[in-house]
Each structure stands twice: as C-alpha cells, then as structure tokens.
Amino acid sequence: TTEIYTLSLHDALPICLGCYSMCHDWSGNIYVADAGRHFIFKVTEGGGGLDGDYQVSTVAGKFGTSGNNAALQNVKATDARFNSPYGIACDKSGTLYVADTSNNQIRTIKDGLVSVLAGSGIASGAGGAGFVDGACMDAKFSGPFGVAVDRSGIVYVADRTNHAIRKISGGQVVTIAGNGSSGARENLVPTADTNTWPSRLNVFNAPYQLVVDRKGNIYVNDYNNRKIKMITPDGSVYLHSGSGANGRTLGTPYTSSYSSILAMDIDDSNNLYLLDENDNNGSRLLKLDQDGKPGVVAEFAGATDYNNYVRSLCCSPGQKLFVGTHDNR
C-alpha cells in the first residue's frame, strides 16, 4: 500500500515559490529545488516544523537571492548561488545533483560544498547557453531542467531548450537522443547508419524531467508532446504512454491523454507516477504500470490558499509518495 503525503511548506518557510522537483536520499530525507527562491532545502521527518512531523533546513544557496559563482569549485554551500534551479537528484552516496537552469550548468552538493559537474555556464558569455558535447567543463546546455542519476553514478539531463537528453559520464557530456530541434518522433531503433541514430533526430519537444529504472531504461517527460518516452540502454527511443492529445482520458498506454505532466518519479518496482495538471491548478496523481497503462491514485482539488499549484513528486523508500505544493503568487 502506497502512502501519500502532501508537503505544503509555508509553515516552516516563507512561500515556496517554485518547487518543481524533489528527490530523496537513501535515509528517506527529501530535498527540494526551489527555482523561484534560488536555493535547495531539506525536509527531515521528526523534530517539529511542518505540523510537528517534519522540519526544514537550507542545504545550499541563499533564500531569494539568485546569482552565479559556478566558475568556482568547492564553494561553501551557504555561499553558493543558483539561478532558477529546477531539477534535483541524489545518488546512493548522498551527492546531490542540481540542474542550475538559468546558469546552464549541472552542479553537485556534497559534504557542504557546491561544485560544477558540467556546463561552461555564463562564464563563456551570452548566458552560456549552447548545444555542445565534449569535456564536462567545455560542454554547453540550454535550460537544463531535469536531472537523474542511475545506480552506477551516470547522470542524465533533460536539456529542455535543446530538446535533447544528455549523458554525463567519465568527464564527458554526450547527447543520447534529440538534436536541438523540437519534434515528436519515437519508436526509433539505432541502425548502422548514424544519420538515423536517435541522437540525430528530432525526438522531443521541451523534455521536462526524466527517471532511470533498475534496468537502465530512461523515461522522459516529453512535456510539449504530452507523452512519456523511453530510451533503452541500446539507444532506442519508444513511446511508453500518451496519445499526444490534450485531454484527461485514460485507456491503453497509447490512447490515454494527458493535459500537462508536471512531475514524474519511479518506485522500486518500476512503476511510474505522474502528476497531471487540470484546468484549475489542481492535478491528478497517476500510476503507470510497467507497460505504460495509467490509473488514478489520487485527485487534488484546484488552488486554495497555500495548496496552490501541486507541482512536484517524490517516491521515497518504503513506498511513501510525497507531493509538493507551492504558491505562484
């Protein structure tokens, strides 16, 4: 049985302005990237705080202050500055990976220090945005939004404005799917002809988030196409769920329609969970089975007071589902 918890963080902090991404560590602590307030915080069970059950503490950045000192390595976490961090992930050692979106970089937080993992960032001028593979510090991203890490420590990035999925491994950034132009192609199998390799084709339209299962399959929230796509370890790209139509009809994996997939996570049994927004700033929590067929787990009403905008989702150890809300006023 899956338990559902709603985190509305106004009791412990001023309004969480842009909480689009949450992740957990192996102890069950929750980490939140607040893109609107430009900092990272931690939610820990026990010790008062949220209704007496949770407490919140800052992990890195300064509340409400954007900036960039990402050219520096091993910056003290309280001195680090982010600019609209949207994505966050945690590996088994406790290292946090942050998609520092408006700085066009992927950064790490470990033992109280913040460093650059990949992306030349604004140090290269003109915002630092670009679409360049290669050595981590020379590579360029454009609005990296989602980030995930697999069990072997390989990091994957949903590079939203480049409409691509990038892999960070061995000091290199490599594009594994997408080519910088928006599109909607899928069910693509690599061949000997590199011109038909998925990384050379327009596969995505503003990929938003991604998760990796135990087998190494990558599931991508293809946001503007209203679909979930899967990249297999051999580089094939398949449609996993969604007709692409704007709607709220649930049926087979390929006839079901979504409105606006705001968040996604995966549990230990490889079931995907989605938050799909409705017209009143509420949303429905959906569970996809391993074939991609969705079913409703819970419905969240429209915006009321601090329960505005149900935007983030995390499936922590023990099958606890955390749903994060924030106020966009």
Side-chain angles (χ1 to χ4, degrees):
T1 300
T2 299
E3 300 174 87
I4 302 173
Y5 298 80
T6 301
L7 297 181
S8 185
L9 301 169
H10 65 281
D11 290 332
L13 289 169
I15 294 169
C16 184
L17 189 59
C19 300
Y20 290 89
S21 181
M22 299 192 293
C23 71
H24 67 83
D25 63 19
W26 265 244
S27 298
N29 300 305
I30 303 298
Y31 297 87
V32 183
D34 190 337
R37 300 297 192 193
H38 314 289
F39 80 126
I40 310 301
F41 60 89
K42 176 182 179 180
V43 182
T44 306
E45 191 169 3
L50 299 171
D51 299 324
D53 295 324
Y54 296 91
Q55 60 181 346
V56 175
S57 57
T58 297
V59 173
K62 183 177 180 180
F63 177 86
T65 301
S66 64
N68 177 68
N69 50 8
L72 304 175
Q73 300 286 51
N74 296 320
V75 178
K76 187 177 179 181
T78 53
D79 295 331
R81 297 293 177 265
F82 300 88
N83 195 348
S84 301
Y86 275 96
I88 190 167
C90 186
D91 69 13
K92 60 185 178 182
S93 73
T95 300
L96 295 173
Y97 299 84
V98 179
D100 194 3
T101 303
S102 292
N103 282 328
N104 298 303
Q105 291 182 314
I106 307 303
R107 301 172 73 182
T108 62
I109 306 171
K110 178 68 173 178
D111 297 329
L113 299 175
V114 178
S115 296
V116 179
L117 177 67
S120 61
I122 68 169
S124 61
F131 190 17
V132 178
D133 284 345
C136 281
M137 298 309 165
D138 298 325
K140 291 187 178 183
F141 300 88
S142 185
F145 213 85
V147 63
V149 57
D150 69 14
R151 292 178 179 268
S152 66
I154 296 174
V155 177
Y156 299 93
V157 180
D159 196 5
R160 188 178 185 189
T161 310
N162 280 327
H163 311 288
I165 305 304
R166 321 281 296 278
K167 179 175 77 171
I168 305 173
S169 178
Q172 298 286 315
V173 176
V174 178
T175 299
I176 61 172
N179 66 1
S181 298
S182 63
R185 302 185 68 175
E186 61 230 356
N187 297 340
L188 304 169
V189 179
T191 70
D193 181 1
T194 58
N195 291 325
T196 62
W197 190 268
S199 65
R200 309 297 184 195
L201 301 173
N202 51 338
V203 180
F204 303 104
N205 191 345
Y208 200 72
Q209 294 142 335
L210 69 176
V211 295
V212 187
D213 70 13
R214 290 175 176 268
K215 298 179 180 178
N217 298 304
I218 305 165
Y219 297 89
V220 180
N221 174 1
D222 193 5
Y223 184 77
N224 282 351
N225 283 325
R226 298 185 174 90
K227 295 179 179 180
I228 302 299
K229 294 180 180 177
M230 179 177 67
I231 307 172
T232 61
D234 71 356
S236 302
V237 180
Y238 297 105
L239 174 63
H240 185 65
S241 188
S243 67
N246 183 0
R248 293 173 59 79
T249 301
L250 301 185
T252 70
Y254 309 121
T255 62
S256 297
S257 58
Y258 305 111
S259 175
S260 181
I261 303 171
L262 298 174
M264 177 174 67
D265 205 1
I266 193 167
D267 67 16
D268 288 338
S269 299
N270 288 338
N271 297 301
L272 284 174
Y273 293 87
L274 309 179
L275 275 177
D276 188 30
E277 187 180 38
N278 65 26
D279 294 334
N280 299 313
N281 296 321
S283 58
R284 56 182 180 171
L285 176 61
L286 304 174
K287 179 181 179 181
L288 275 59
D289 66 19
Q290 295 182 30
D291 295 323
K293 182 179 179 180
V296 176
V297 176
E299 292 271 2
F300 299 94
T304 57
D305 297 327
Y306 286 99
N307 273 333
N308 238 347
Y309 300 95
V310 180
R311 293 288 176 133
S312 52
L313 172 67
C314 177
C315 187
S316 74
Q319 295 296 89
K320 291 183 178 181
L321 278 172
F322 290 86
V323 177
T325 69
H326 75 262
D327 194 318
N328 203 34
R329 293 173 296 178

